[in-house]
Amino acid sequence: MSQSKNPLIVLPSAALAATLFVGALAGCGSSATSVSGGGAVSPGAGGSQAAAPAGTAAPGDIPDSTIYVPYQSAAGHLQIKVPEGWSRTTTATSATFTSSLNSIRVAWLPMTAAPTAGSVRATAVPALKTSTSAFQLQSVHPVSLPGGPAVELVYLVNSAANPVTGRRYRLVVERFELYHHGRGAVLSLSSAVGADNVDPWRIVSQSFRWR
């Protein structure tokens, strides 16, 4: 189970694409960061929805026996490793892999310059506040991945309601924004708070490569 900001303000069309891009990636996350179960109430898409309680019963951990297979996108000019057998949904600008509450989403779009921690705070964070339920920012900072420099954004959100029980889970999202020769990519890793997916998310994030 990581959209850039100030650079996208340069071109209005790119900025709009980035805002829409943020909304599309709202439900992704990771347990690679230790977080508390509480969260601030967020307006917008989630209205005044309160943070869902974090529980140890939430599904869960990605098994150590999981096999990872490569996924390549010709349109996105990128490649990542994903767990074998997960459900896949693709669009013209993204691919999403899911298993229970765990989700991996990689999306791509034109980008005018490399993201920075400041640009992510200026555009992605406000967009997420209005497009997710009970958004709570955890951290924003630059990181170095084998596939290139990136900005990592970690935040908490509520999951969609379970269609049978109506229950919502608290999710933690680890999102990486990357840039390469006019192209941008956002890799988002999502799990229920309490899931121990540090190693699986490391495998995925460090497998990212431009093609």
Side-chain angles (χ1 to χ4, degrees), residues 3-4 8 14 17-19 21 76 93 107-111 182-186 210:
Q3 293 124 336
S4 65
L8 295 174
T19 300
F21 199 38
T93 58
W108 49 89
L109 80 169
M111 193 176 288
R183 298 193 300 268
V186 177
W210 292 104

Side-chain angles (χ1 to χ4, degrees), residues 47 124 176 204:
F176 300 89
V204 176

Side-chain angles (χ1 to χ4, degrees), residues 47-58:
S48 58
Q49 187 179 109
T56 55

